[in-house]
Amino acid sequence: MIGRLQGVLLEVQAPEILVDVQGVGYEVFVPMTTLYQLPQPGSSITLLTHFAVSENGQSLYGFYARRDRDLFRTLIKVNGVGPRLALAILSGLEATQLVSCVRENNLAALVKVPGVGKKTAERLVIELRDKLKDWEGSPSPQAGTASNSTGSSVAANAIIADAESALVALGYKPVEASKVIAAVTREHDVARSEDLIRLALKSLVPA
């Protein structure tokens, strides 16, 4: 069981990152709440991890906050929710938002997350209500404010492409991803794909 990684962040291809630990590169899937907090490639990084084994292979999931990993592990115990869907849920909803949705029986917000239909949303509420009854946790640190400089058009296009790819990887349709990214870029001047993804997800799954 791999429970923790400490190394150097090499690459970010949301929702997957590559971490060098003493010469060994670990591919790690991270929720957007963790992606927003990532340092620049080449920086040191420490993540709490969950190692998942299935008939399709082995995957490693990483989290900055212990409460996010705990919530992830609680989610995958729900009938019909695997690690990839749990990752999508934690990417579309902040931990505190998810807990509020469960406590308030807010199915409308849950079904806006890719892969979560009405039946899955109902199972989440039913199976998590008691487990999250006493859940407490402070909000995750927010990502830094994006720079006002958009850089060159090439860099801007790369940011948009990265953001669209990340949304598609999370389960959104390409047309939907392009549409929401275009809407966000018209309203906000962002210089990092992480910030663009955060704003897009916020518009797709409002609090």
Side-chain angles (χ1 to χ4, degrees):
M1 178 67 73
I2 302 173
R4 181 175 178 270
L5 283 182
Q6 184 173 16
V8 176
L9 178 64
L10 295 182
E11 298 178 6
V12 178
Q13 294 290 332
E16 188 176 353
I17 64 174
L18 182 64
V19 181
D20 183 332
V21 181
Q22 297 183 348
V24 178
Y26 288 86
E27 296 176 341
V28 187
F29 291 98
V30 298
M32 291 303 160
T33 48
T34 291
L35 186 78
Y36 303 152
Q37 304 171 54
L38 291 176
Q40 293 296 318
S43 303
S44 297
I45 186 174
T46 300
L47 295 173
L48 296 174
T49 57
H50 175 86
F51 183 60
V53 179
S54 68
E55 58 183 15
N56 296 321
Q58 304 174 354
S59 299
L60 194 61
Y61 298 85
F63 311 86
Y64 264 135
R66 182 175 297 276
R67 67 163 194 177
D68 287 342
R69 185 179 67 175
D70 291 344
L71 195 52
F72 175 86
R73 287 175 169 174
T74 300
L75 280 169
I76 61 177
K77 294 178 182 178
V78 174
N79 183 32
V81 178
R84 290 300 181 91
L85 181 54
L87 191 76
I89 293 172
L90 290 177
S91 292
L93 294 167
E94 291 278 351
T96 50
Q97 289 178 316
L98 175 59
V99 174
S100 294
C101 287
V102 171
R103 290 175 175 173
E104 299 169 8
N105 196 29
N106 189 350
L107 301 180
L110 291 171
V111 297
K112 290 183 179 180
V113 176
V116 178
K118 183 178 179 181
K119 290 184 178 180
T120 300
E122 291 173 344
R123 283 199 301 270
L124 287 169
V125 170
I126 293 172
E127 297 187 33
L128 295 179
R129 185 182 291 120
D130 289 339
K131 295 178 181 178
L132 300 180
K133 181 173 58 178
D134 300 321
W135 188 92
E136 294 181 0
S138 57
S140 297
Q142 296 296 313
T145 303
S147 168
N148 288 328
S149 174
T150 57
S152 67
S153 60
V154 173
N157 289 336
I159 290 170
I160 291 173
D162 286 345
E164 290 181 354
S165 296
L167 292 182
V168 172
L170 287 171
Y172 291 97
K173 295 179 180 179
V175 173
E176 185 179 17
S178 298
K179 183 177 180 180
V180 70
I181 291 298
V184 171
T185 53
R186 284 196 298 268
E187 298 178 4
H188 302 274
D189 186 13
V190 294
R192 300 194 313 163
S193 58
E194 293 90 340
D195 297 312
L196 186 52
I197 295 167
R198 174 174 58 83
L199 292 168
L201 286 171
K202 183 177 291 187
S203 67
L204 286 164
V205 187

